[in-house]
Amino acid sequence: MAVAEQLLESIVSWAILLFEYVGVIVIVVAGARGVWYYIHRDPLTRLSLAKGLSLGLEFKLGSEILRTVIVREFKEIGLVGAIILLRAALTVLIHWEIKNEEQAAEERQSKAEPPNMVS
């Protein structure tokens, strides 16, 4: 049984590292793209940045959920739980921002399009 536990802990530890690295890479790439779009005055800069941050946080949240598999003490569970709550709250706020930005982009686009004249 100890071998199975050790194997599970190794797999989960590697998966946590993978998810953490992927999350960081996604956030860094989204930030760099955000700067690029900002320099070029792209009106969808905020939307693009928010989507990238959201995706990166989803990977980071996944790693924290996996971390709950290998915690051994209640102190660790509390810490992991607090991190999960914080990241989940950030994800909800970013999704709210994405929704608002998409609505604003649709409104800007509808105002920019000439009315469709049907005879």
Side-chain angles (χ1 to χ4, degrees):
M1 194 65 164
V3 173
E5 286 180 21
Q6 187 66 29
L7 179 62
L8 176 65
E9 190 170 324
S10 294
I11 292 170
V12 170
S13 294
W14 280 104
I16 289 169
L17 278 175
L18 176 67
F19 278 27
E20 289 283 341
Y21 282 125
V22 170
V24 168
I25 290 167
V26 169
I27 290 170
V28 167
V29 169
R33 286 179 60 197
V35 169
W36 178 261
Y37 291 158
Y38 178 76
I39 290 170
H40 289 88
R41 305 275 187 229
D42 187 336
L44 299 177
T45 300
R46 289 179 57 153
L47 181 60
S48 175
L49 182 59
K51 285 183 176 182
L53 292 175
S54 175
L55 181 62
L57 277 173
E58 294 290 340
F59 279 104
K60 306 279 285 164
L61 186 59
S63 74
E64 292 302 329
I65 291 170
L66 280 174
R67 197 175 310 260
T68 63
V69 173
I70 59 173
V71 293
R72 303 257 187 242
E73 300 175 7
F74 279 113
K75 181 180 176 183
E76 291 178 49
I77 291 172
L79 181 61
V80 170
I83 292 170
I84 288 172
L85 287 175
L86 179 61
R87 289 187 178 170
L90 285 170
T91 300
V92 167
L93 288 172
I94 290 173
H95 280 285
W96 178 75
E97 179 73 21
I98 289 169
K99 184 176 129 184
N100 287 340
E101 284 296 319
E102 285 176 339
Q103 287 174 349
E106 286 174 8
E107 288 174 10
R108 283 191 303 266
Q109 186 177 8
S110 67
K111 287 180 182 178
E113 293 177 354
N116 190 3
M117 298 287 208
V118 178
S119 306

